[in-house]
Amino acid sequence: MKSEYDVLVIGGGPGGAVAAWTAAKKGLSTCLIEKRPAIGAPVRCAEGVGKKLLTEFLDPDPRWISADIKRARIIAPDGTEIQLKEDQAGAEVGYVLDRKIFDRELVWKASEAGADVYVKTRAVKPILEDSIVKGAVVESCGTQQEVRAAVTIAADGVESKFARWCGIDSTVPVDELMSCIQYLVTDIDVDPVCNDFYLGNEVAPQGYLWVFAKGERCANIGIGIPAAKRGPGNRAKDYLDHFMAEHYPDGKIIECIFGGDPVCKPLDCTVTDGLMIVGDAARVVDPITGGGIGNAMVTGRLAAEVAAEAIAKGDTSKAALMPYDEGWRNSKMGQGLERNYKVKEFFIKLSDEKMNDLADSIAHIDFAEFSVRALVMELIKRNPKMLFELRELKDALKH
Amino acid sequence: MLNIRREICGYCGACVSVCPEGALELIDAYLTVDSETCISCGICTKACPLGALEVTDEV
Ligand SMILES: Cc1cc2nc3c(=O)[nH]c(=O)nc-3n(C[C@H](O)[C@H](O)[C@H](O)COP(=O)(O)OP(=O)(O)OC[C@H]3O[C@@H](n4cnc5c(N)ncnc54)[C@H](O)[C@@H]3O)c2cc1C
Ligand code: SF4
Ligand code: SF4
């Protein structure tokens, strides 16, 4: 392992892989380290991703696409269904990936472009000189060494310890961490091109339960609920097991997936001298859906682009890296995060009764366009009695 | 004191992200707690989807 690079990327998820791929394509000497022994495993994801965004990066490949989703259903607490078809749902439905293969493909792209890749190699602390991040001390199979870099990109996912070691508080408020568990279930009757979202206090209090088709007779069935109120008897696993017993008692569970999904606001600032933070580590997950694959890739790419410019100018100070932070925050993605955070705040306060009323009011509509905005506008039109509550939501959408 | 039940833990890192003290660290499939920095606040025990963490009275 070399001891000096232009760019050191910590974490081999989609955020880190795209950052390393972009940096290497720009001609920078790049190193990506991943602490797990294998890229993409264990999976920590329901694997749903929007088509449009994904194809900005890669041409769709059947090797890492498990299902091409044509419809989605939202199931209200009383069973009322809202159906969304692909031509209406726009980019909101998409593919269900096979992330074991997908994540590897992205890392392969990075290495093909020239990046060095090391697995079972963990950043154990930053190299800090006068509070400037100069790389990391990394440990591989018991041996530690320094890897210095002009820019370090922290793509270490939900744990986000690297930013913390560099003095940036990345703690997720406990009521804004979705405590998640998912089973990969086979031999069940599922619509192979449909994603289902179940809502309600009985099924998934203040969160949702998903059934994402993974092809014929196979699905990712999982749940995410805020961690704050969890304890013995009401953990994510208890809810999921209950749902499985009721809906898929004969399904065979061939994989168990656990994880935390941060649905808090993004970090106040995602750069410091010599350091950029991308993906889950920067807390850029969609607060409504918990989706973070696309945003990790977008922030990873932008971080590497800004790093390349900064390195070319010989200045990798916080000020020189700031265009990254400003760039994603002012982008459509950043604005969407801000808006959806407010929408989430509204929906988690809704009682089951109100949720049922809202679902019922729009259950039979064919949406010309499906977007959070269109859905909320329709809700407002059809629920004059809830105008007071919905006004708050409408205000949130103005910005 | 925080007790990690390794036979339950699925090494997902959810707990690591909510610890206000940065006391937890996931080394591949091995979750560790730094007993010097852990203040036994119990926040991490809520985040675990499996219930692998518990704060006990023992020191
Ligand atoms: C149950 C669940 C379901 C989800 N479902 C979806 C979904 O359907 N669609 C969607 O878009 N998103 C979903 N998400 C979110 C999605 O998984 C993440 O947003 C996405 O993986 C973020 O990518 P990333 O590259 O930022 O981080 P990650 O993919 O988490 O990668 C971070 C990597 O960094 C490594 N790492 C950590 N610390 C170090 C270190 N010190 N040294 C070296 N390496 C380190 C980790 O081992 C890890 O491999 C889900 C999350 C969960 C938990
Ligand atoms: S008990 Fe509190 S301080 Fe200790 S590891 Fe858990 S969250 Fe951190
Ligand atoms: S949240 Fe639970 S399963 Fe995940 S690493 Fe922590 S103790 Fe283990």
Side-chain angles (χ1 to χ4, degrees):
Chain A
M1 199 171 188
K2 284 196 290 182
S3 57
E4 191 146 8
Y5 289 91
D6 292 325
V7 174
L8 170 65
V9 181
I10 297 163
V18 170
W21 180 16
T22 310
K25 269 196 293 196
K26 297 242 167 220
L28 301 175
S29 69
T30 307
C31 177
L32 179 145
I33 59 164
E34 165 55 54
K35 71 177 172 184
R36 300 188 203 163
I39 301 287
V43 175
R44 305 284 181 222
C45 188
E47 309 179 297
V49 70
K51 277 182 193 178
K52 218 157 91 198
L53 192 91
L54 185 75
T55 46
E56 258 183 49
F57 292 86
L58 288 171
D59 291 330
D61 183 335
R63 284 184 306 126
W64 42 258
I65 295 172
S66 295
D68 188 345
I69 299 301
K70 304 285 182 213
R71 334 176 240 284
R73 292 189 304 168
I74 302 173
I75 298 125
D78 64 358
T80 304
E81 285 180 16
I82 303 170
Q83 298 249 11
L84 308 161
K85 302 201 194 79
E86 181 174 51
D87 45 348
Q88 298 151 0
E92 301 289 323
V93 284
Y95 298 120
V96 174
L97 301 173
D98 185 335
R99 275 198 61 184
K100 290 192 193 87
I101 318 245
F102 177 73
D103 285 21
R104 277 167 207 213
E105 176 73 14
L106 288 179
V107 169
W108 171 237
K109 291 281 181 202
S111 67
E112 212 176 25
D116 286 346
V117 176
Y118 296 92
V119 293
K120 205 163 163 51
T121 302
R122 182 172 63 99
V124 292
K125 62 177 178 204
I127 302 170
L128 286 169
E129 287 169 8
D130 300 325
S131 304
I132 301 167
V133 181
K134 298 272 173 105
V137 175
V138 312
E139 185 175 282
S140 192
C141 291
T143 314
Q144 289 198 356
Q145 79 162 85
E146 282 196 351
V147 178
R148 302 180 70 86
V151 173
T152 304
I153 298 182
D156 49 347
V158 68
E159 296 157 56
S160 195
K161 293 257 339 215
F162 200 83
R164 179 191 282 275
W165 293 331
C166 297
I168 295 167
D169 184 5
S170 58
T171 314
V172 179
V174 68
D175 57 342
E176 298 194 300
L177 181 82
M178 289 298 183
S179 182
C180 302
I181 176 164
Q182 171 180 285
Y183 299 140
L184 174 55
V185 187
T186 60
D187 205 15
I188 49 172
D189 284 326
V190 283
D191 178 346
V193 294
C194 186
N195 283 351
D196 289 342
F197 300 83
Y198 289 80
L199 303 176
N201 267 313
E202 299 274 312
V203 197
Q206 301 193 325
Y208 68 89
L209 186 148
W210 61 84
V211 178
F212 286 4
K214 283 272 278 181
E216 297 290 336
R217 301 192 62 70
C218 184
N220 281 335
I221 305 182
I223 184 176
I225 46 179
K229 296 200 189 87
R230 302 301 126 224
N234 73 4
R235 295 189 193 280
K237 184 175 190 304
D238 300 308
Y239 284 95
L240 184 60
D241 287 344
H242 187 264
F243 180 87
M244 289 296 296
E246 195 171 313
H247 293 261
Y248 300 101
D250 301 322
K252 288 160 189 107
I253 297 168
I254 60 163
E255 192 173 339
C256 287
I257 286 147
F258 321 111
D261 204 359
V263 293
C264 53
K265 290 185 175 156
L267 296 183
D268 289 340
C269 184
T270 53
V271 295
T272 184
D273 294 310
L275 177 73
M276 305 166 104
I277 308 159
V278 306
D280 274 20
R283 316 307 188 202
V284 289
V285 171
D286 184 302
I288 299 181
T289 62
I293 302 170
N295 292 351
M297 292 168 74
V298 168
T299 49
R301 179 176 60 191
L302 183 63
E305 285 167 356
V306 172
E309 279 170 35
I311 289 167
K313 288 187 192 134
D315 177 5
T316 55
S317 65
K318 179 175 178 179
L321 301 179
M322 248 343 244
Y324 160 67
D325 189 270
E326 288 158 0
W328 72 255
R329 245 178 248 279
N330 296 327
S331 71
K332 222 175 122 199
M333 176 207 111
Q335 287 167 359
L337 284 176
E338 210 177 312
R339 183 197 65 204
N340 286 1
Y341 185 83
K342 294 178 186 153
V343 176
K344 174 203 86 165
E345 291 288 283
F346 169 80
F347 276 104
I348 56 170
K349 284 188 245 152
L350 278 188
S351 66
D352 278 8
E353 289 72 39
K354 287 196 170 143
M355 212 156 7
N356 289 335
D357 286 350
L358 291 181
D360 193 54
S361 73
I362 57 166
H364 306 290
I365 304 176
D366 265 352
F367 282 99
E369 163 219 8
F370 179 75
S371 65
V372 171
R373 183 185 289 269
L375 186 72
V376 170
M377 287 309 166
E378 205 55 47
L379 287 174
I380 289 170
K381 210 163 81 191
R382 285 164 194 269
N383 295 276
K385 270 193 285 185
M386 279 179 70
L387 199 62
F388 185 71
E389 283 113 316
L390 287 165
R391 206 168 49 201
E392 197 183 320
L393 191 56
K394 198 173 158 201
D395 288 346
L397 292 180
K398 272 197 204 130
H399 311 293
Chain B
M1 190 187 100
L2 184 74
N3 182 26
I4 302 170
R5 297 186 59 189
R6 286 195 220 292
E7 73 283 12
I8 298 178
C9 174
Y11 44 92
C12 68
C15 54
V16 177
S17 72
V18 295
C19 172
E21 305 300 315
L24 293 165
E25 172 86 3
L26 186 62
I27 302 165
D28 188 18
Y30 191 84
L31 182 72
T32 58
V33 60
D34 177 358
S35 53
E36 301 275 292
T37 38
C38 172
I39 54 167
S40 297
C41 67
I43 289 177
C44 57
T45 66
K46 299 174 197 275
C48 179
L50 299 170
L53 300 173
E54 57 197 10
V55 174
T56 62
D57 297 336
E58 303 153 42
V59 267

